[in-house]
Amino acid sequence: MENGPKKWGFQGKQELNAAAATTVRGFLNMLMGNLNKDDSRPVIPLGHGDPSHFPSFATTPAAADAIVDALRQGKYNCYAPTVGILPARRAIADYLNRDLPYKLLADDVYLTIGCTQAIEVVSSVLSRPGANILLPIPGFPYYETCAAYNRLEVRHFDLLPEKGWEVDLDAIETIADENTVAMVIINPGNPCGNVFSYDHLKKVAETARKLGILVIADEVYDSLAFGSTQYVPMRVFGSTVPVLTLGSISKRWIVPGWRLGWLVTSDPNGILQKSGVIDSIIGFLNISSDPATFIQVKLNLSMLEDINDDMEFCLKLAKEESVIILPGIAVGLKNWLRITFAIESSSLEEGLARVKAFCQRHAKKQ
C-alpha cells in the first residue's frame, strides 16, 4: 500500500445519509439497532405499520390467485413498457373513474414501484433551481426526503386539529410565492387518519388554482376511510386545478411487498401536457436499464439515398416496415443501430427481412 494514492477520488454521498435518516424506515432501523440483544422476549413492532407480517392480516386468496394465474400464463415475464402494461393501466383507470365528472384514460396512468416511487417521480419532475413545495405538518416524511434529495425547498403548512385536521388555507396563501410548484394533500390522512370533506377539498382546489400550483393527492389509504365523513378523491376537482393522484395496492390488499403503485394525472384541461410535466414524467420512467441481448451495427449512411442519421433511419423504418430498432444516439453512439436478438427466431428473421427490404428501397442508385 506504500505506492497508493495520497487521496482517493471517491467518497459517499452525505446527502443520501441525511435524507434516509428522515424516512420512517430510517427511524425504524435506528430503533431496531438500539434493541437490547440480551432481551429474549419477541419484539413487538407497534411502529411498523405493515400488517402483512401477521397471519390475521393475510390478503384475499383472489389476489394471490390472480398473481399465480398471471405468472403461469407467461405473458408478463418480459421487460414491461416503462409506463406500465396497458391492461393494468386500464384497470386502474376504470377503478379510479368511479363518480368522476370526466373519465380517466389508460394514458393518464403511470405504474410505479409502489407509491414511494411515485413520490420520487413527482419530486424529481417538479424540482428546478429555486422551486419550493408545500408539505403538511404532520405528514409523511418521505416527501421531505425526496424534496431534500432533489434540492426542492420545503415549506410547511399546518393541519388544524381543532378543525378535524383540515388544511390551514390562510397559511397556504401566506407561504406560497412565485416559485411554489405544488402542495401535497394526504387523504385519508397519514398519520392522523382524518378524512377531508368535499367542501374543504373544493376550497383546497380553488386555493391552488388561485396560486397557480398543482395538487399532489396522496390517496394510498383511500380504502381505509373511517368516521362519518364520506371519502372524496381529490381528482374530482381536476377541472379546477391539475391533480397528480398517487396510490397503490399495498394498503387495500395488504401486500406492500408486491410494490405496485401508480401516478395518475387528473387534468381534463391539458395544463400538465402544455407545461411539459407529462413529458417529464415519461422521461423519468424511461430512465431504466436494458438487458445485454443486443448487437451494435454501424450505419453506413453513404449507401443510403434519403437518410441523414440513425434517428431518421429508425423513424422511417418504424413507419414503413413496423420494425422497431433503437437508434444508437439513445446510448451515445450516433449513427449506430442497436438490434436485439432476444425474440422468437421466426420474428427475428421476419424483422431482418423487413430491414433488408427497407435498405434496398432507400439505397443509392448505382
Side-chain angles (χ1 to χ4, degrees):
M1 297 298 293
E2 294 180 359
N3 296 325
K6 294 181 179 179
K7 181 179 180 182
W8 293 104
F10 52 83
Q11 61 181 359
K13 191 169 185 177
Q14 297 302 314
E15 291 89 346
L16 279 177
N17 298 336
T22 63
T23 66
V24 170
R25 289 192 181 188
F27 282 109
L28 288 174
N29 289 338
M30 180 173 61
L31 293 170
M32 292 295 290
N34 201 47
L35 289 172
N36 181 1
K37 296 180 181 179
D38 296 327
D39 191 338
S40 60
R41 296 172 299 171
V43 176
I44 308 298
L46 297 183
H48 199 232
D50 182 4
S52 62
H53 277 273
F54 308 102
S56 56
F57 289 97
T59 191
T60 172
D65 290 344
I67 294 295
V68 172
D69 290 344
L71 290 174
R72 284 177 173 161
Q73 290 175 31
K75 295 180 180 179
Y76 308 109
N77 295 334
C78 55
Y79 281 83
T82 55
V83 295
I85 60 174
L86 187 57
R89 297 169 73 198
R90 281 193 185 126
I92 292 169
D94 291 343
Y95 169 72
L96 297 179
N97 269 333
R98 300 164 301 165
D99 303 322
L100 280 186
Y102 57 92
K103 293 301 179 185
L104 296 169
L105 303 175
D107 285 346
D108 298 318
V109 179
Y110 305 89
L111 300 190
T112 57
I113 306 171
C115 191
T116 52
Q117 193 198 21
I119 297 173
E120 294 167 9
V121 173
V122 169
S123 300
S124 179
V125 164
L126 296 179
S127 64
R128 65 168 190 265
N132 65 75
I133 189 170
L134 311 183
L135 302 182
I137 289 291
F140 184 50
Y142 198 64
Y143 285 97
E144 309 262 356
T145 301
C146 290
Y149 185 69
N150 287 287
R151 293 180 170 83
L152 188 59
E153 179 192 348
V154 170
R155 297 183 180 181
H156 294 110
F157 60 88
D158 289 327
L159 301 181
L160 306 173
E162 67 275 13
K163 294 185 177 181
W165 300 104
E166 287 187 347
V167 175
D168 187 346
L169 293 174
D170 292 335
I172 292 287
E173 296 202 41
T174 300
I175 63 177
D177 61 19
E178 67 277 4
N179 292 317
T180 304
V181 293
M183 64 182 295
V184 172
I185 297 294
I186 305 176
N187 185 41
N190 179 14
C192 301
N194 59 295
V195 178
F196 294 127
S197 68
Y198 178 95
D199 290 338
H200 185 62
L201 290 177
K202 182 179 180 182
K203 292 177 182 177
V204 169
E206 290 170 346
T207 300
R209 180 182 178 86
K210 176 181 177 182
L211 296 172
I213 62 177
L214 61 83
V215 176
I216 300 168
D218 186 325
E219 297 174 352
V220 73
Y221 284 97
D222 63 349
S223 59
L224 297 174
F226 300 101
S228 59
T229 304
Q230 182 179 357
Y231 167 72
V232 177
M234 191 71 210
R235 57 187 173 276
V236 166
F237 304 99
S239 296
T240 302
V241 64
V243 176
L244 296 179
T245 298
L246 314 186
S248 78
I249 65 172
S250 298
K251 305 302 186 287
R252 180 181 180 88
W253 296 98
I254 321 178
V255 288
W258 290 8
R259 310 309 300 140
L260 176 58
W262 53 80
L263 188 164
V264 177
T265 58
S266 302
D267 180 32
N269 298 319
I271 298 170
L272 296 174
Q273 182 68 60
K274 296 173 185 175
S275 64
V277 170
I278 300 295
D279 290 339
S280 293
I281 291 172
I282 295 172
F284 183 100
L285 294 172
N286 278 342
I287 303 173
S288 62
S289 59
D290 289 317
T293 51
F294 295 87
I295 56 173
Q296 304 288 149
V297 179
K298 178 67 174 177
L299 188 59
N300 190 345
L301 294 172
S302 66
M303 299 180 66
L304 298 174
E305 183 74 45
D306 52 352
I307 295 176
N308 297 310
D309 56 30
D310 55 329
M311 191 72 217
E312 188 175 8
F313 181 98
C314 293
L315 288 171
K316 289 185 175 180
L317 177 66
K319 185 174 183 179
E320 296 177 21
E321 297 288 349
S322 296
V323 174
I324 303 298
I325 287 179
L326 190 72
I329 191 67
V331 293
L333 288 173
K334 185 174 177 59
N335 294 331
W336 283 69
L337 303 174
R338 193 172 78 153
I339 305 172
T340 182
F341 52 85
I343 62 173
E344 296 290 342
S345 58
S346 58
S347 297
L348 180 60
E349 291 174 3
E350 172 68 18
L352 293 178
R354 294 187 198 180
V355 173
K356 181 178 180 180
F358 174 86
C359 291
Q360 289 175 339
R361 191 164 60 249
H362 289 274
K364 285 185 177 179
K365 302 300 184 289
Q366 298 298 327

